[in-house]
Amino acid sequence: MPNLNKLRTAITGGRGGDPATDAALSRLIRLRTTLTIFFALDGFLFAGWVVRIPAIKEQTGASASDLGLALLGVSAGAVVTMMFTGRMCARFGSHPVTVVSSLLLALSIALPARTHSALTLGLVLLLFGAAYGALNVSMNSAAVDFVAALRRPVMSSFHAAFSLGGMAGAGLGALVAGGLSASTHLLALTGVGLLVTVLAGPSLLRHTLPPAAGPAPSTGKAAASGKAAAPRRLDRRTRRLVVLFGVIALCTAYGEGALADWGALHLAQDLDAGAGLAAAGYSLFALAMTVGRLSGTALLERLGQTRTLVAGGVLAALGMLLGALAPTTWLALAGFAVTGLGLANIFPVAVARAGALAGPSGVAAASTLGYGGMLLGPPAIGFLADWFSLPVALTTVALLAAAAALIGYSARNVPVPDSGAAAHRGVPAEIPADFPADFPAEAPATARTPHQEG
């Protein structure tokens, strides 16, 4: 990992290894690997569900609007859970919450294929959405803590793992869509999810991180128990800025959710694509997002956050117009790929920026708004598809991507407070306070969170 190699050089000063610093670096590497596995698993399971939505729709006999209402169960379960997952992470640690949420997600993914009406589908999707929402907030909280410890802008790499998992899940779904029932496929995903969680969970629980540097009790019961300091109260301006970045996340996540739930149906229904090719549409979109996010750190260091947000929003808007209105399947697939490249880094940048402004409450607020957009988008697309047509409904993705670019540009002068890169417990104090020196001032590598893991 190039970033960790650079960190090793910064720690050792290029002179022989030190056991303490090598041990700390080894802990960071193991923790990064484990967190990456959970992000990838989340994307894999979610994509496995979305590529079977056409089969579930046929199984339940639901209309487009009925399916939209059923999908609202995912939205409701996720958004309600997200509202208090941040508090659960603060109390129990984001690592345990991540493990428990992953188990619940794996168990609940098999349920939709057991339903035979839109009503029962919506009810079981409440549980699925609750697990999905809790897992995403807890994972992002753990990732923000890790970024603060590493002091490098690697948030996009975790979201790249989510996209890579989505690509793999959608690709597998495309391969088995013609010969395997939705019930068998989703039950197999339950097995995969449980197995990965059982194997990776203990590692995540063992490798903890302290909260980022900041005011914390040094004596008394709170310090002795390792609990985080109480979150600071936010002024009105900071709350508004957090909401601003949350809206950016919402606008872009809306597009990701829309393509996940309706992209395959658009290709099959409007462009007469076969089941395998239709399912591959989301896989291509996920591949493009993965490529964009893998290059996210270098892109942010070169362009800065504002240019990355604006360029991504404009590119996604143009790509989605092509994907929604193209007369052929291959042009639509090209549009999906361009959209994925454009949306790739906007969500992780928005969440990280909110966390830098307001700590864990900023992460929770931006994540809730963002994933709310991902989960509320599909029902909105369903209603618009019934009122107009599915291609017209999908153009709303382009409109919101353009809105995200405009909002991102309007926030170009918003300062991000210095999070004070003091050493963490378990992270060597020899790491230079200004590391890395080449990172743009507007894109700080740290984000303060008071979560005490484990």
Side-chain angles (χ1 to χ4, degrees), residues 235-283:
D235 57 54
R236 184 176 301 178
R237 179 175 181 273
T238 301
R239 288 196 295 268
R240 286 200 301 265
L241 292 174
V242 168
V243 171
L244 184 73
F245 288 111
V247 170
I248 292 176
L250 183 151
C251 289
T252 55
Y254 174 97
E256 190 171 350
L259 279 174
D261 284 5
W262 294 102
L265 195 61
H266 168 58
L267 294 174
Q269 172 182 291
D270 301 314
L271 299 175
D272 296 322
L277 187 58
Y282 181 71
S283 183

Side-chain angles (χ1 to χ4, degrees), residues 17 52 58 86 172 183 190 197 228 277 342 345 347 349 362 373 444 453:
R52 300 316 298 246
E58 181 178 353
L172 178 64
S183 177
T190 291
T197 303
L277 187 58
N345 293 299
F347 186 93
V349 167
E453 306 300 350

Side-chain angles (χ1 to χ4, degrees), residues 41-454:
L41 177 64
D42 186 36
F44 180 81
L45 294 179
F46 186 72
W49 144 248
V50 299
V51 299
R52 300 316 298 246
I53 286 178
I56 300 297
K57 179 177 182 294
E58 181 178 353
Q59 172 183 303
T60 59
S63 66
S65 58
D66 289 338
L67 181 61
L69 283 173
L71 293 174
L72 192 60
V74 181
S75 308
V79 171
V80 170
T81 304
M82 285 175 175
M83 293 174 66
F84 60 83
T85 299
R87 299 175 189 172
M88 293 173 61
C89 290
R91 180 173 181 180
F92 302 108
S94 58
H95 291 188
V97 176
T98 296
V99 173
V100 172
S101 300
S102 182
L103 290 172
L104 290 176
L105 183 68
L107 291 171
S108 62
I109 197 172
L111 299 179
R114 306 291 175 178
T115 63
H116 297 281
S117 71
L119 176 60
T120 54
L121 176 62
L123 292 175
V124 301
L125 289 180
L126 282 170
L127 178 59
F128 178 78
Y132 180 75
L135 179 57
N136 278 279
V137 171
S138 58
M139 283 192 316
N140 274 286
S141 296
V144 167
D145 285 342
F146 178 85
V147 170
L150 186 61
R151 295 205 289 275
R152 291 287 294 173
V154 298
M155 190 69 158
S156 290
S157 69
F158 291 115
H159 288 259
F162 174 87
S163 297
L164 185 61
M167 181 187 69
L172 178 64
L175 290 175
V176 304
L180 200 64
S181 69
S183 177
T184 302
H185 180 200
L186 296 183
L187 187 61
L189 292 181
T190 291
V192 171
L194 292 176
L195 178 63
V196 172
T197 303
V198 167
L199 292 177
S203 176
L204 188 63
L205 295 175
R206 284 196 306 270
H207 296 101
T208 62
L209 279 177
S218 57
T219 61
K221 182 181 293 186
S225 64
K227 293 297 182 181
R232 59 187 174 87
R233 296 182 67 86
L234 303 179
D235 57 54
R236 184 176 301 178
R237 179 175 181 273
T238 301
R239 288 196 295 268
R240 286 200 301 265
L241 292 174
V242 168
V243 171
L244 184 73
F245 288 111
V247 170
I248 292 176
L250 183 151
C251 289
T252 55
Y254 174 97
E256 190 171 350
L259 279 174
D261 284 5
W262 294 102
L265 195 61
H266 168 58
L267 294 174
Q269 172 182 291
D270 301 314
L271 299 175
D272 296 322
L277 187 58
Y282 181 71
S283 183
L284 181 62
F285 170 76
L287 173 61
M289 291 197 76
T290 303
V291 171
R293 285 172 170 173
L294 286 173
S295 60
T297 299
L299 189 67
L300 283 165
E301 290 179 334
R302 179 176 295 273
L303 298 180
Q305 291 185 345
T306 296
R307 291 178 182 174
T308 300
L309 288 175
V310 173
V314 171
L315 188 64
L318 295 175
M320 197 60 234
L321 286 176
L322 177 62
L325 303 178
T328 67
T329 300
W330 295 108
L331 280 176
L333 289 173
F336 285 6
V338 172
T339 303
L341 286 173
L343 295 180
N345 293 299
I346 301 178
F347 186 93
V349 167
V351 171
R353 195 77 181 270
L357 282 166
S361 61
V363 174
S367 296
T368 300
L369 283 170
Y371 284 106
M374 178 184 291
L375 298 169
L376 290 171
I381 294 291
F383 286 114
L384 290 172
D386 267 0
W387 293 337
F388 302 102
S389 68
L390 185 53
V392 170
L394 289 173
T395 61
T396 59
V397 174
L399 293 176
L400 288 182
L406 182 61
I407 297 171
Y409 181 75
S410 71
R412 64 192 181 280
N413 295 322
V414 172
V416 176
D418 181 12
S419 56
H424 296 260
R425 294 188 301 276
V427 181
E430 292 86 350
I431 299 176
D434 61 350
F435 178 81
D438 59 341
F439 193 58
E442 71 161 346
T446 58
R448 303 176 68 174
T449 72
H451 296 167
Q452 175 64 44
E453 306 300 350

Side-chain angles (χ1 to χ4, degrees), residues 4-31:
L4 291 176
N5 290 335
K6 186 171 182 179
L7 179 60
R8 182 188 295 275
T9 301
I11 293 173
T12 62
R15 304 183 299 272
D18 175 78
T21 57
D22 284 348
L25 180 59
S26 178
R27 287 195 297 271
L28 286 177
I29 293 173
R30 290 194 296 269
L31 178 55

